[in-house]
């Protein structure tokens, strides 16, 4: 069982930045593909970014050039640096860990005011 705990959400003005963190409960998280999803009110959950154990990354088109996903395997933590935030980035952000199945964190709210 893998437990994921997100932190770093909050309220920010448009154009600002936030960094989300996701701490995992097990050292074996190093072999999982980590990711961030988000879900805005009334919308479907959307994949934002992923990072493989080897460090390969992928991003949704809507966040390319603004968001950066990274991982610190020594701290069992993955980060999502969010710059140039827009009101449409407002959502609950979820951390995930995937190998043979996917594990979800509890989510952290990000609100971007215009």
């Amino acid at each position: 069982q893998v437990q994921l705990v997100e932190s770093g959400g909050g309220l920010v003005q448009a154009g600002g930045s936030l960094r989300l963190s996701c701490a995992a409960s097990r050292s074996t998280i190093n072999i999982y593909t980590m990711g961030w999803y988000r879900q805005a009110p009334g919308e479907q959950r959307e994949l934002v970014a992923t990072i493989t154990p080897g460090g390969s990354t992928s991003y949704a088109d809507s966040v390319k050039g603004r968001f950066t996903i990274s991982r610190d395997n020594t701290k069992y933590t993955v980060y999502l640096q969010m710059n140039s935030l827009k009101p449409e980035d407002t959502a609950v952000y979820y951390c995930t860990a995937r190998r043979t199945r996917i594990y979800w964190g509890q989510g952290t709210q990000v609100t971007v005011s215009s």
Side-chain angles (χ1 to χ4, degrees), residues 35-95:
W36 290 93
Y37 283 73
R38 67 186 181 186
Q39 187 168 23
E43 301 289 332
Q44 289 191 330
R45 200 166 287 189
E46 170 191 27
L47 178 59
V48 175
T50 62
I51 184 167
T52 68
S56 297
T57 59
S58 65
Y59 298 92
D61 288 342
S62 58
V63 306
K64 279 181 182 176
R66 300 188 298 121
F67 290 11
T68 303
I69 189 171
S70 61
R71 64 192 297 158
D72 185 337
N73 287 343
T74 65
K75 297 181 179 179
Y76 322 137
T77 300
V78 65
Y79 305 97
L80 185 68
Q81 178 66 44
M82 306 185 294
N83 299 327
S84 302
L85 283 161
K86 304 175 181 180
E88 52 262 44
D89 294 318
T90 295
V92 178
Y93 284 71
Y94 298 91
C95 176

Side-chain angles (χ1 to χ4, degrees), residues 7-9 18-22 36 78-80 82 93 108 110:
S7 61
L18 283 174
R19 189 178 81 154
L20 305 183
S21 299
C22 173
W36 290 93
V78 65
Y79 305 97
L80 185 68
M82 306 185 294
Y93 284 71
T108 186
V110 171

